Amino acid sequence: MSYGIRLHIWGERACFTRPELKVERVSYDVITPSAARGILEAIHWKPAIRWVVDRIHVLKPIRFESIRRNEVGGKLSAASVGKAMKAGRVDDLYTRVDEDRQQRAATVLRDVGYVVEAHFVLTEKGGADDNEGKHLDIFNRRARKGQCFHAPCLGTREFPASFSLIEPGAALPERAGEFEGERDLGWMLHDIDFEQGKTPRFFRARIVDGVITVPALAEAVS
Amino acid sequence: MMLASLCEYYDRLAERDEVPVSGFSQEKISYALILSQDGKLVDVQDIRDTSGKKPQPKALTVPQPEKRTAGIKSNFLWDKTSYALGVSARDGERVAQEHEAFKALHWKWLGGSGDEGLQALLRFLDQWTPAQFLAPLFFDEMRDANVVFRMDGELCYLHQRPAAQALRARMLADGDAPEGICLVNGMRAPLARLHPAIKGVNGAQSSGASIVSFNLESFASYGKSQGENAPISERAAFSYTTVLNHLLRRDEHNRQRLQIGDATVVFWAIAPDGQPAAAAESLFALLAHPPLEDGQEATRLRTVLNAVSQGRALRELDPKLDPDTRFYVLGLAPNASRLSVRFWLANTLDHFVHRIAEHYLDLKLEPLPWKTEPALWQLLYAVAAQGKAENVPPQLAGDITRAIFTGSRYPRSLLANIVLRMRADGELSGIRVALCKAVLAREARLAAIPSREEIPVSLDTENPDPAYRLGRLFATLENIQRTALGRQVNATIRDRYYGAASATPAAVFPLLLRNAQHHLARLRKDRPGLGHVLETSVGDIVAGLGATFPKSLHIEDQGRFAIGYYHQLHARSNGKADAEASPAAFDSGEEE
């Protein structure tokens, strides 16, 4: 792809939560396209562009680890936040954490490394001087310097991602040997379709020689 | 993957009629009400299983119960007495409401039926009042028990009649659930809002827990509620919960479940050609849950382990074992009304058998501290304070099981916990030492750069590792003390000094060696031959130690210290010297 980029992402832990096992988190085996898109958007995004993930290379063996954390059971409601904003005070806006404890276990991935191949398309929100070359240059510059709007994360915010740009023509990092042949990962979340009532869309993920080919969002089943 | 594999297993079992079909489930029923054709109650039959000490309710396949937590929803053609008869141990408005709901449901569905059994039930409900709940037919202990109905003179229950089954099928198809894509099988189908409960996990709610649940706000996302957070079709939800309930059933013949720490583990196999994979499942059950006594099963286990360690194919052992059989292991741990997935492993049978064989190989210690291979739960008890199940560190069970079945390193906290336990209660049982050895041996095997010497399986007098030699030295000094002072010593140096000797040898060993000289002096007078033998053995060990004692030993070295101690303690030397000391030490050191 002439306007495609390749980004090397790695981290100590990752949790790409399965939707059905969200309460006691269990991670998918590999990064979801939506999480990869999130990392790209953390580096550079404007309403004028939309990132599309093409391929994901899996570099490290898939290993899990289990942790337990004390969290809370409730959320602050949007209505109470609105009331506080109107009243101009936050005295009544609180959650008593010790009254609302929930201990949740999580099965997270350990030592992950991926190369994400993606491209972006221009949306109709772009202005007159928005063109693909300009955004590509901005992305490449920011990725080389390590700049981002907010720290990119591997699924959930507590697991930060490190990234580095792979220049066009440079070789990919080394891959762990256990991905020869084809491996079926079952149905995996592709992305959430925000334009149509936040419906989730799924696709059948297969690692072929360490590479997952991600179909277009329109082809994903919804 | 997990739910998809469970659904696949359900399909295999349903082909062989081993699980209830859609819309039905196994529930525990106590009594059957026998009705005549005009709706009069003829008899109340106790259908409980009276073979044990207490009568146990019988498990029957009945229409699947509604999931009710706070609402009032009646079951079809069976329920507890508060719904079916309006009678309960609790009093109140609610009981009457529940009975009304039962009558309303049955009037709605059975009203147009021509079947005489179902009509008899309607007539019974018309003329029944809760005041009729009296002796001689009814007793107080029947309150809140589950009841089914039967026609007088017939063998099958009302819910088993063909007309009732047809009505049930219509009830299921009549749902108003929204359609969507199921994330288990990728097909468009009506989605489940709530999933049926999963019963049988130790420590969870007795009314059942859920793997997929969104009952609190903080679990929901994108403004969705309940089942919308994870679109799963009703059929898939039914399949995976039914097959899990089947795997978790508490039946003495059910070999597909075992308990490891706080996690209930189930496993199943799917053979490639659709044949029942019972041979694979029973082999895994044997490996994961070895028998306690020496017997036929134990010899079979050893044959399998020997064959695998020699590299022979599984097919040679049992022609029914296809090495391509896919094997799945699922560990579930309870958390109030939820179940968390402790581990989920999917691989071939070959892989699992080899990993378990490697585990036993890592554990091996000479002389063997056990008669039959220890099961996983026995290993965990060795780590717990006072050997109590509730003192097992919670994360450890899941981590150890995952390490065993995937072949990765044992958790570091295992070694730390064992060493801590040994120093805290002074019991150096064979299992604890074997676990230390297993952790160290596996690390040495998996290390990228082989750094230290191999961990010896049996006593190795030439091993130069200082921590190992110090353990041997400690055992020899204890032997000297015991022989000099006799067996009636109140506190040996092991009780007083083990912890300090293993952690800070430089501070303790000079003192111990000095005291040993006093004991040796006494032995030279009483039993000179023995005294000489023990003195030379001390000299041999110290000769290989180097110029100074190490100031402190870190955790791995404390593990080697324990291994050296154990080996020396149980050494069978040629002379009679150790013969009388060792059995006594063996008895006091052995602990199960």
Side-chain angles (χ1 to χ4, degrees), chain B residues 5 60 114 119 134 145-146 148 189 234 249 263 308 397 441 463 504 534 537:
Chain B
S5 312
L60 289 180
Q119 288 296 323
L134 299 165
N146 284 332
V148 286
E234 283 176 355
R249 68 189 188 282
V308 169
N463 194 311
T504 51
L534 290 171
S537 59

Side-chain angles (χ1 to χ4, degrees), chain A residues 7-21:
Chain A
L7 193 71
H8 179 206
I9 303 165
W10 69 95
E12 240 186 56
R13 289 180 180 82
C15 186
F16 308 109
T17 320
R18 289 180 172 269
E20 69 271 17
L21 299 173

Side-chain angles (χ1 to χ4, degrees), chain A residues 9-222:
Chain A
I9 303 165
W10 69 95
E12 240 186 56
R13 289 180 180 82
C15 186
F16 308 109
T17 320
R18 289 180 172 269
E20 69 271 17
L21 299 173
K22 222 166 75 72
V23 76
E24 306 279 338
R25 291 181 195 272
V26 174
S27 170
Y28 276 115
D29 290 2
V30 294
I31 191 171
T32 54
S34 71
R37 176 179 63 80
I39 294 178
L40 297 170
E41 287 182 357
I43 299 172
H44 172 61
W45 178 80
K46 290 271 192 270
I49 62 172
R50 195 184 73 227
W51 284 103
V52 176
V53 176
D54 295 318
R55 290 158 82 185
I56 297 172
H57 299 251
V58 184
L59 301 177
K60 297 231 184 113
I62 298 173
R63 280 171 31 207
F64 286 91
E65 179 187 70
S66 165
I67 50 181
R68 275 198 226 194
R69 297 179 282 193
N70 290 333
E71 303 178 17
V72 290
K75 290 200 272 219
L76 278 181
S77 70
S80 60
V81 176
K83 253 200 306 192
M85 278 161 57
K86 259 203 283 203
R89 326 158 346 138
V90 290
D91 298 9
D92 297 327
L93 198 63
Y94 60 83
T95 304
R96 280 242 168 79
V97 157
D98 43 351
E99 287 170 8
D100 200 17
R101 279 270 170 240
Q102 287 286 328
Q103 185 178 80
R104 290 163 74 174
T107 306
V108 304
L109 290 168
R110 195 89 170 89
D111 276 335
V112 296
Y114 306 106
V115 170
V116 174
E117 283 184 35
H119 68 279
F120 60 85
V121 292
L122 292 178
T123 62
E124 62 267 5
K125 298 211 181 91
D129 53 349
D130 273 313
N131 56 54
E132 276 137 356
K134 163 182 155 184
H135 285 287
L136 184 67
D137 279 339
I138 297 179
F139 179 86
N140 282 331
R141 217 180 322 125
R142 289 172 67 90
R144 270 185 220 114
K145 283 203 261 183
Q147 263 180 299
C148 49
F149 296 119
H150 54 264
C153 63
L154 290 163
T156 46
R157 293 251 174 180
E158 58 265 27
F159 303 130
S162 312
F163 60 89
S164 77
L165 183 71
I166 300 181
E167 306 289 346
L172 291 179
E174 246 190 54
R175 184 164 44 98
E178 67 181 46
F179 293 118
E180 305 299 323
E182 181 172 319
R183 187 160 145 183
D184 186 13
L185 298 178
W187 290 92
M188 198 157 105
L189 180 76
H190 187 301
D191 214 328
I192 305 270
D193 197 346
F194 291 101
E195 289 163 23
Q196 292 178 20
K198 299 184 212 171
T199 50
R201 301 184 85 126
F202 300 92
F203 75 104
R204 192 84 199 212
R206 286 186 182 85
I207 309 184
V208 180
D209 285 337
V211 182
I212 303 174
T213 310
V214 178
L217 187 60
E219 287 169 22
V221 164
S222 93

